[in-house]
Amino acid sequence: QQQVKQSPQSLIVQKGGISIINCAYENTAFDYFPWYQQFPGKGPALLIAIRPDVSEKKEGRFTISFNKSAKQFSLHIMDSQPGDSATYFCGDNYGQNFVFGPGTRLSVLP
Amino acid sequence: GAGVSQSPRYKVTKRGQDVALRCDPISGHVSLYWYRQALGQGPEFLTYFNYEAQQDKSGLPNDRFSAERPEGSISTLTIQRTEQRDSAMYRCASSRQATNEKLFFGSGTQLSVL
């Protein structure tokens, strides 16, 4: 199976700080780059996604940056809040199924 | 329905028993996915359907696992002769189109095999 690698595995940020999570993918045919957010006890939910025809997409405090040549994309959370504490997953298409990365656990301290 | 519904929410069974996990996707969603998620890990792909057709079952661990979606709506994941290693959270997701963009996940079924 295609692999998706995330870093860091865990992240602790002070309230108001910037959280940055990175994802490296292998599938060069992939044309959709999402980040999912999962709170404890809940299923993952799509947070933000980008297509390779743009290098950056911003939705409120959340920004995806895409680097096609490096086969990487990242999630930036500006003005991080305690309510952003969750696990974040990037993903990759493999055939027509969807493979998730191992996750990054974000803790935002009040 | 308003969201993806899974039942039961919790299932405790004895080793060797068969279990059936049910998923009711969002009405009209074409694709349905089954994942397994261990604590602290990302969801692990098991299988998926477009309408009633099983498109990929490469993630099913072995032949004790099977899934069906006979009418292109509700799906059942069946695990025969359960083993302790099958204990995990089983999650179902659906997407509106067969392009696997924007998956909507259910709350999952927590399976415990004693």
Side-chain angles (χ1 to χ4, degrees):
Chain A
Q1 249 187 5
Q2 298 277 2
Q3 289 193 352
V4 176
K5 298 179 181 178
Q6 280 185 240
S7 62
Q9 186 175 12
S10 62
L11 181 62
I12 299 174
V13 175
Q14 293 286 338
K15 178 182 177 181
I18 301 174
S19 304
I20 301 175
I21 305 172
N22 301 298
C23 184
Y25 64 95
E26 297 181 0
N27 186 350
T28 57
F30 191 35
D31 62 357
Y32 179 72
F33 301 90
W35 283 98
Y36 280 77
Q37 179 187 55
Q38 184 176 24
F39 293 107
K42 303 293 185 181
L46 180 67
L47 178 65
I48 188 172
I50 196 171
R51 295 194 179 278
D53 54 344
V54 296
S55 61
E56 187 174 282
K57 180 178 180 180
K58 184 177 181 179
E59 291 184 356
R61 297 184 294 109
F62 302 92
T63 300
I64 288 185
S65 298
F66 176 65
N67 186 332
K68 186 174 182 179
S69 61
K71 293 195 290 186
Q72 292 181 346
F73 61 107
S74 61
L75 174 68
H76 295 233
I77 306 175
M78 310 299 288
D79 187 27
S80 298
Q81 300 296 312
D84 298 329
S85 297
T87 301
Y88 294 82
F89 299 98
C90 61
D92 186 6
N93 277 15
Y94 178 67
Q96 286 187 317
N97 73 46
F98 193 81
V99 177
F100 286 88
T104 296
R105 187 168 183 173
L106 171 65
S107 297
V108 181
L109 303 179
Chain B
V4 178
S5 177
Q6 291 187 247
S7 60
R9 183 69 179 89
Y10 301 93
K11 178 68 177 178
V12 180
T13 190
K14 292 184 178 180
R15 186 178 56 185
Q17 297 294 307
D18 298 350
V19 295
L21 312 181
R22 173 185 165 121
C23 174
D24 193 350
I26 294 173
S27 178
H29 275 201
V30 169
S31 298
L32 184 148
Y33 302 79
W34 283 101
Y35 289 87
R36 179 170 67 178
Q37 187 173 23
L39 193 63
Q41 302 292 320
E44 173 193 9
F45 171 79
L46 296 177
T47 185
Y48 91 99
F49 296 81
N50 284 341
Y51 301 103
E52 73 282 359
Q54 191 171 21
Q55 299 292 326
D56 185 343
K57 56 181 181 179
S58 63
L60 296 177
N62 51 61
D63 60 7
R64 295 187 296 106
F65 288 72
S66 63
E68 64 175 7
R69 192 187 184 197
E71 298 180 358
S73 178
I74 294 170
S75 176
T76 302
L77 176 69
T78 301
I79 308 173
Q80 296 179 315
R81 305 180 302 281
T82 53
E83 301 178 4
Q84 286 185 330
R85 59 177 173 161
D86 300 332
S87 297
M89 174 69 79
Y90 289 83
R91 296 196 185 277
C92 173
S94 68
S95 65
R96 188 168 59 89
Q97 298 176 331
T99 56
N100 65 39
E101 296 181 6
K102 194 164 187 178
L103 304 184
F104 292 83
F105 280 84
S107 296
T109 294
Q110 181 66 55
L111 174 65
S112 297
V113 182
L114 305 179

